[in-house]
Amino acid sequence: MTWSDRYAALFGLALVAAVLGNPVVATVQGLAAGVDAGRMGAGLGLLLAAYAGYLALARFLGPLVLPAADAAWLVLSPLPRRSVLGRAASVLLAVAAAAGAVLGLAVPAVLGVPDDLAVRLTAALVLGLGAAVGGMATAVLAQASQTWDSWLLTMIAGAVLLAAAAALLGGGPGRQVLLAVAGAPVAAVVAAAGLAAAVTAGLLRRAWIALDRIPAAKILSASARGGRVLSAAVTMDTGALTWVAEDNHWRGRVLRSRPWPGSAPRSAWAAGLAPAWPEWRRAGRRPGRLALLLGSTALPAVAAQAAGGMSALPVGVLLCGALTAAVAFTTGARRDGDNPSLARLLAVGPRALMAARAVLPALAAALWSSLALAGLAAAGALPGGPWWLLGPATAPAMAAGALRMARRRPADHSMPVIETAGAALPMGPIIWALTGADLALLGCLPALVALTGPSASLTASVITQVLAGAGVLTAYLLRQGRGAGEG
């Protein structure tokens, strides 16, 4: 590392400290003010869910990755594996330390600090660093050993279960448990921090020793996957991330050949069902994804409990979750956008094909949003009434937005950057991010008014939402007849 690299690193750290200094100081000063006991369970559940996502992301990415040149030459050379992977391991340690600092500040912000602010905050930071750094060390060990990979999966599943338990029981009998944990004696908190530090040190030592035992094949595959993820992040092409997951799923699997349906359908709309049928089979072969989507329907209710009622946070989680559920079943539409010539060879019109591909995303969005709205009503965030009816009503708009997102092109970084009073706005990434989301938001305006606006007739809101969603999906499908390769 040259002096210019060190200067750039130190300057970047100073810039980050200057930007985050005031929010961190304000958070620390607000810890002594206390928190609402009714929000402890929801806040802790969100933190545990985020920690489970952190561990799952580390396992998905490798976590040890190298640049393409180093992976192709240094890993396969007779150099000591530990010296080759040392720099990547130090980067992982820095990332884990930053995540641990955020986690260490978030835990007392959720549970509160009854007394001894300095001691409890220090212990919380040690616990957060231990959880993040220890989790990353476990992910490195999982890359070297199948046994540790099983332990990592157990940690992820345990974090998810604890998140669900904290969110569900935090408002009832579990509140007393959370209050007891938040008000634990200082000696117990310090002892827990010391135990976490010792366990983390042991995991770090085992991970450092295991660097020499990581198979080269796993490093090469993780490096190739990391390169594609970095390329997708630079070009803002989420389709590349989807293909990374698809390649990991299908690598090493043997596909059976089956004949194409022999009887010709009577209508053009029915003809699109045959190319769309693999999407349904793919959904049935991913029970884990279905279970994850089903479990995530509780997030809007947890967000409403953490925010103290219906606000922008639970409504945003509701819309993002429904749109994510719809996007999860648009692989075929994304493939049509990447390879339009293959879609033309199917001898099916683009309008009929997209209509058939919209059925499964619409059903997924309807089921997800119906369960989420029922959870919001059960949690008391919504007044009485069949609010779950808004779920099927918003499904057509969500399907249209999901299909448009699946067929959008990468961000155009050549577009101008608009200078505003707050910051510079790059129009290419902004337009890319709004493509598809704008269509879903436009079609869900009646539901948004019903959820956030003044109280109105739920029946009228549902009818208006049905008309708006159907109109948005119809307009999107009619547009497909004029441009088969454009979302």
Side-chain angles (χ1 to χ4, degrees), residues 53-84:
Y54 164 79
L55 295 179
L57 181 62
R59 181 178 182 270
F60 170 76
L61 292 178
L64 277 173
V65 296
L66 292 174
D70 293 348
W73 294 98
L74 297 182
V75 174
L76 301 179
S77 67
L79 293 174
R81 186 68 52 82
R82 191 178 301 162
S83 62
V84 173

Side-chain angles (χ1 to χ4, degrees), residues 269-298:
W269 297 98
L273 295 177
W277 175 243
E279 192 75 46
W280 292 75
R281 292 182 60 85
R282 177 177 173 272
R285 290 169 176 170
R286 305 288 182 88
R289 177 176 297 180
L290 296 178
L292 181 61
L293 288 175
L294 185 63
S296 63
T297 55

Side-chain angles (χ1 to χ4, degrees), residues 39 48 58 92 118 205 238 281 358 440 452 476 486:
R39 303 182 186 180
L48 289 171
L92 283 181
R205 181 176 179 275
T238 55
R281 292 182 60 85
T452 60
Y476 177 77
E486 184 179 358

